[in-house]
Each structure stands twice: as structure tokens, then as C-alpha cells.
Amino acid sequence: MHRCHGQHAGHSTASTGGDTQALYDARELAMERMQREAEELHAEGIVGVQLNSHNHRWGGHTTEFFAIGTAVRPLRDDHVIERPTMVLSLDD
């Protein structure tokens, strides 16, 4: 298995009036960038995905989203990767 860690950000400047669409768009952008990088590596999928956000207060209210994951691809043509299963932590 080849692992490639990627971190991609999406930025949103949302008004204090509750412009949630900008937040959704920024989150989607971060995830799309991560997926695009995995596709460029010919990955079978992405595991261990984390979506984090960080709020900035300079120049208005800005939220930055980070999509972090591990792209998984076979080492050779006859290598088969098992389908990952979803695991939800009960600690969060």
C-alpha cells in the first residue's frame, strides 16, 4: 500500500447574518481538492479522513476548512486492496 498524506484548505468569508452556503461551499472545496489529488495518484480511495475548521478574526469572520486523509493505492497490478469499512469513534 502506498500512502500519501494530503492537506487541502477551503476558505469562506461568511457574514455574521448566517451565510451558511459559503461555509458549505468552502468545506466542499477542501474535500474536492483532496479527492482530486488522490485521483491524480490513481488511488483506490482515501482513508482516515479528517475535516477540520479554523476560525480567523482578521478582516472579518473567516473560516478555513482542512480536509486531511491518506490516499490508498496498490503497489503492483496483482495487489488487491480490501474495501475499507466505516468506523465511528464514540469518544468524540
Side-chain angles (χ1 to χ4, degrees), residues 76-89:
R76 55 188 189 277
D77 291 338
D78 65 338
H79 186 209
V80 177
I81 297 175
E82 291 184 36
R83 183 172 180 86
T85 58
M86 187 167 161
V87 177
L88 297 175
S89 172

Side-chain angles (χ1 to χ4, degrees), residues 21-84:
Q21 186 62 46
L23 295 173
Y24 290 137
D25 292 345
R27 185 181 66 194
E28 282 294 316
L29 178 61
M31 291 188 294
E32 287 171 7
R33 288 177 177 171
M34 179 181 60
Q35 183 175 351
R36 189 174 333 124
E37 183 177 325
E39 289 170 353
E40 289 171 1
L41 293 169
H42 305 287
E44 295 283 325
I46 305 170
V47 297
V49 174
Q50 298 177 27
L51 186 61
N52 302 314
S53 63
H54 180 71
N55 295 320
H56 298 283
R57 296 286 180 203
W58 35 262
H61 298 281
T62 302
T63 301
E64 186 173 31
F65 289 94
F66 293 93
I68 304 167
T70 301
V72 180
R73 67 184 183 108
L75 293 174
R76 55 188 189 277
D77 291 338
D78 65 338
H79 186 209
V80 177
I81 297 175
E82 291 184 36
R83 183 172 180 86

